[in-house]
Amino acid sequence: MKNEVKVLKLTTGEEIITRMTEGEDGTIILDRPLEIKVVGPDASGRTGVSLNSWLHAGNTDKITLDSNHVLVIVKPSPTAEKNYLSSITGISL
């Protein structure tokens, strides 16, 4: 699995979407991870999802994470993947 977009649920409860590559020795390399946050409900009762920086003060796009901090890795929905790629590239897809 090289640089595929995945959604990860971490042991901390955080949910992130990222390009991901399996590293060596049980590590995962995250490329521009964004945290998925549920927002709302708004005045009409609808909830939404926002994508936020996962590391606000870090000065790197790639992060190495030990895989035992990950509960689940899944393929994102087509809409989530499109929104993630638009967020990291600045190009509307």
Side-chain angles (χ1 to χ4, degrees):
M1 169 180 346
K2 180 139 176 87
N3 227 19
E4 293 181 43
V5 177
K6 296 292 183 178
V7 174
L8 288 73
K9 183 73 165 187
L10 305 182
T11 57
T12 59
E14 296 164 295
E15 191 171 330
I16 59 175
I17 187 166
T18 185
R19 286 185 172 154
M20 186 188 108
T21 303
E22 290 181 17
E24 297 181 20
D25 301 326
T27 62
I28 298 170
I29 300 161
L30 309 178
D31 183 6
R32 295 191 237 174
L34 296 177
E35 186 175 11
I36 301 168
K37 289 262 188 177
V38 177
V39 293
D42 62 13
S44 66
R46 294 179 297 185
T47 58
V49 174
S50 71
L51 299 178
N52 304 309
S53 295
W54 186 49
L55 290 177
H56 300 285
N59 190 18
T60 184
D61 287 338
K62 294 192 187 240
I63 295 134
T64 302
L65 180 69
D66 196 299
S67 62
N68 49 339
H69 295 288
V70 179
L71 294 174
V72 177
I73 299 172
V74 296
K75 183 172 174 52
S77 70
T79 301
E81 185 170 6
K82 180 179 138 187
N83 290 338
Y84 168 74
L85 292 172
S86 291
S87 292
I88 65 168
T89 63
I91 300 169
S92 292
L93 302 175

